[in-house]
Amino acid sequence: MDRNPSPPSSEAEEEGDAVGNTVYSKHWLFSILTRLIEVISPEKTEPTVSPEGIQTELDEEMENDICKVWDMSMDEDVALFLQEFNAPDIFMGVFAKSKCPRLTEICVGILGNMACFQDICMSISKDENLGQVLLQRLCDSDSPTLLETSRLLLTCLSQPEVASVWVERIRENPSVYDCVCFIMSSSTNVELLVKVGEVVDKLFDLDEELMLNWIKNGTCRSVGPSVDDSPEELPDFKIVPCILEAAKQVRSDNPEGLDVYMHILQLLTTVDEGIQAIVQAPDGGKETWSLLYDLICHELCQPDDPPIIVQEQKTVLASILSVLSAMFASQSEQEYIKMRKSNVKLPFSCYFILDMPLIGSLIRILQYMEGCGKRSVDNSKDSEQQETGRADLNEEDFHLKILKDICCELLSNMLQELTKENTLEGLHQGHLNEQTCSCAFQNLLPLYFTSVESFLEVLREADQTLADNLEKRFPSLKVHA
């Protein structure tokens, strides 16, 4: 059976029976709402009821009809009709009484469609009881219900008029944190993980205080998902490992989902507490670095990809490099503190600091961006763009500039820490040569002159000829040599 059967053919033959400007029948819709009330009525007894007298399964006809309403609720006239006849209150009764996961999923889905319309969304959002009941659905054990609940929350959070209401409600409801972490850390449903990630991403983007609370959370326990009504104590969740686990699940199947989770990590690094939560994890940030390193060096923007790939991957690349850069800077600071306390110059001991494949990947990204830039110039000469085209191009250039800035910052910091041994390794592996070094210098100068100059001094010890050739290409370096 299809998930959403086609809506019924017009039953609105009688004058005045049509819902708004649709062909749908008011009488038919009202009859479905009435039957829905009967389904959750304790007085109703049928073979499909549980011992408590509440229906646990839908008969095929009822499921077909309520799915038709689900489809129809995407029409604003139908959504307004459902609102007028107190459908949200009926759905609240379903959430409170029904033991049928399919029925709960459909009712949340209908509410999600209704919330796409601003006035209805405001009405749903201002209903405190309904709001609390919907947040409780995040603790459901049924994946389809969790998916529809997440979609509904994202719809509400995306409407500026009511977003703050939901942020405050979620901030005051500690169980949301636990339920979201439970989903991210344990679910294998990629579609659900992506949608939950979008909710978290939106929440963190909207409210830094909530993000800080979730970063610091994990010490208190609360009620979480359970297959029955008995509370279940959840593990002591930390936000970073949960995000990483979800990212691993979605990385192969859903590029957009990976983009979402990388942006969540990037948002964490906008506050010091978030950076510390990453680098001061029990593994010292190793798991985070390993995942991001693997994505940059082995999956994204690879040598056999066309340069245009950097445009397709620009946002996820920017997020990943931003996190790596923040981790690098944080570890550099910690090493400096150690050096000052011990009064002895300590080598960089962090396992992720001086990795030549990563440096090679950063330079490749810059090379690909240069290729994309030349292509854009050529295209602009060939044809005149429309106004909308110019706006799109400007936005594209803006995102690429952000990626370039982040890439250059991380590359300059890494080059500044290279030793003769690291450099020899890079030369041997092919990550450093005249072409790659020229690309790096071209992008780093003049802003990161000190880093380039420092690297050139080390390069002279490893390969004097290459250093001399680079000085000829970039005279400003020779002047200061």
Side-chain angles (χ1 to χ4, degrees):
M1 183 182 65
D2 294 336
R3 185 187 73 81
N4 285 355
S6 299
S9 57
S10 175
E11 297 184 21
E13 299 292 338
E14 300 177 14
E15 186 177 351
D17 190 42
V19 177
N21 294 320
T22 73
V23 296
Y24 305 129
S25 165
K26 291 179 182 178
H27 180 268
W28 184 86
L29 273 170
F30 188 75
S31 70
I32 300 303
L33 293 178
T34 302
R35 287 169 61 194
L36 191 55
I37 295 172
E38 293 173 354
V39 166
I40 59 173
S41 173
E43 289 79 18
K44 185 175 178 63
T45 56
E46 290 184 0
T48 55
V49 298
S50 67
E52 293 82 10
I54 306 302
Q55 189 165 332
T56 57
E57 293 181 8
L58 285 174
D59 61 70
E60 187 173 343
E61 181 184 358
M62 182 61 187
E63 183 170 353
N64 267 311
D65 286 343
I66 195 69
C67 279
K68 291 173 184 177
V69 177
W70 191 355
D71 274 344
M72 294 161 62
S73 63
M74 290 187 288
D75 187 289
E76 185 172 9
D77 287 332
V78 174
L80 290 169
F81 176 86
L82 293 172
Q83 175 78 0
E84 181 183 352
F85 282 88
N86 298 319
D89 290 339
I90 298 174
F91 298 153
M92 276 233 293
V94 171
F95 303 148
K97 298 178 180 180
S98 175
K99 300 295 182 181
C100 175
R102 177 62 170 157
L103 181 59
T104 302
E105 173 205 354
I106 295 170
C107 290
V108 177
I110 295 172
L111 272 177
N113 284 349
M114 294 171 64
C116 292
F117 305 105
Q118 183 177 330
D119 290 343
I120 300 176
C121 186
M122 291 181 69
S123 176
I124 291 173
S125 301
K126 290 179 180 179
D127 188 328
E128 186 61 31
N129 291 331
L130 180 58
Q132 293 297 334
V133 169
L134 288 172
L135 290 184
Q136 290 171 13
R137 297 273 62 80
L138 285 173
C139 296
D140 207 294
S141 59
D142 181 60
S143 290
T145 299
L146 289 170
L147 177 59
E148 294 308 319
T149 303
S150 301
R151 282 177 172 156
L152 172 57
L153 289 176
L154 185 61
T155 298
C156 294
L157 289 168
S158 299
Q159 300 209 23
E161 298 79 9
V162 299
S164 59
V165 174
W166 285 98
V167 169
E168 184 64 26
R169 188 173 284 148
I170 290 169
R171 192 190 297 133
E172 294 175 353
N173 196 324
S175 67
V176 174
Y177 169 86
D178 281 329
C179 293
V180 166
C181 284
F182 181 81
I183 294 168
M184 291 193 296
S185 62
S186 62
S187 178
T188 57
N189 185 319
V190 171
E191 190 178 6
L192 172 60
L193 288 171
V194 173
K195 197 57 61 177
V196 167
E198 289 175 345
V199 171
V200 174
D201 188 43
K202 191 69 175 177
L203 283 170
F204 286 3
D205 196 38
L206 286 170
D207 192 81
E208 185 177 293
E209 181 184 345
L210 183 142
M211 182 173 70
L212 287 168
N213 289 342
W214 282 25
I215 291 170
K216 298 172 185 175
N217 213 331
T219 55
C220 60
R221 300 176 184 271
S222 56
V223 176
S226 177
V227 295
D228 52 33
D229 287 332
S230 60
E232 179 180 323
E233 195 174 73
L234 289 172
D236 191 15
F237 287 118
K238 299 293 185 183
I239 191 68
V240 173
C242 296
I243 293 170
L244 294 178
E245 188 59 39
K248 292 174 188 175
Q249 286 290 330
V250 305
R251 63 185 288 187
S252 300
D253 300 321
N254 196 300
E256 292 78 14
L258 179 64
D259 199 342
V260 168
Y261 278 99
M262 293 302 100
H263 190 254
I264 294 173
L265 283 176
Q266 182 183 3
L267 287 174
L268 291 182
T269 63
T270 61
V271 293
D272 186 61
E273 292 86 346
I275 298 173
Q276 298 310 311
I278 294 173
V279 300
Q280 293 184 0
D283 63 357
K286 181 177 180 180
E287 187 178 0
T288 303
W289 186 276
S290 296
L291 173 62
L292 304 188
Y293 172 89
D294 195 39
L295 289 168
I296 288 292
C297 294
H298 301 129
E299 286 193 25
L300 301 172
C301 204
Q302 292 302 292
D304 55 350
D305 289 328
I308 194 69
I309 195 70
V310 78
Q311 289 189 345
E312 298 175 13
Q313 300 175 349
K314 58 186 178 297
T315 56
V316 67
L317 286 170
S319 294
I320 293 172
L321 295 183
S322 181
V323 177
L324 291 176
S325 185
M327 293 179 71
F328 186 97
S330 176
Q331 292 292 349
S332 298
E333 182 180 351
Q334 290 181 28
E335 290 291 327
Y336 179 71
I337 292 172
K338 289 179 185 177
M339 179 188 72
R340 290 198 57 177
K341 285 183 177 178
S342 63
N343 208 25
V344 176
K345 182 169 177 56
L346 300 175
F348 259 79
S349 58
C350 299
Y351 56 88
F352 53 70
I353 291 301
L354 301 175
D355 188 276
M356 295 314 304
L358 179 55
I359 289 177
S361 295
L362 295 177
I363 296 174
R364 181 167 61 250
I365 292 171
L366 292 173
Q367 287 175 316
Y368 282 12
M369 279 193 284
E370 286 182 351
C372 289
K374 292 176 183 177
R375 184 183 298 248
S376 296
V377 171
D378 292 340
N379 289 341
S380 65
K381 290 178 180 178
D382 292 339
S383 63
E384 248 184 78
Q385 296 180 327
Q386 302 294 329
E387 283 299 321
T388 54
R390 288 197 195 96
D392 291 342
L393 181 61
N394 290 338
E395 185 177 352
E396 187 83 12
D397 289 345
F398 174 74
H399 288 296
L400 285 174
K401 183 181 184 304
I402 290 176
L403 174 58
K404 179 181 176 181
D405 290 346
I406 296 171
C407 189
C408 287
E409 180 181 5
L410 178 56
L411 179 60
S412 69
N413 287 336
M414 296 189 79
L415 289 180
Q416 198 163 10
E417 299 297 336
L418 287 180
T419 63
K420 177 182 177 181
E421 291 72 22
N422 301 136
T423 305
L424 286 169
E425 178 187 356
L427 292 167
H428 175 71
Q429 294 175 351
H431 299 298
L432 296 178
N433 53 48
E434 188 166 345
Q435 182 184 15
T436 59
C437 289
S438 294
C439 176
F441 287 13
Q442 183 69 39
N443 284 278
L444 294 177
L445 294 172
L447 184 60
Y448 296 102
F449 181 89
T450 303
S451 296
V452 173
E453 189 177 43
S454 172
F455 167 65
L456 191 60
E457 289 178 10
V458 175
L459 185 60
R460 276 196 199 92
E461 299 177 28
D463 190 329
Q464 181 68 51
T465 302
L466 177 56
D468 291 342
N469 290 341
L470 289 170
E471 282 186 341
K472 292 175 183 177
R473 281 199 176 197
F474 299 92
S476 61
L477 293 172
K478 193 171 185 180
V479 171
H480 291 79

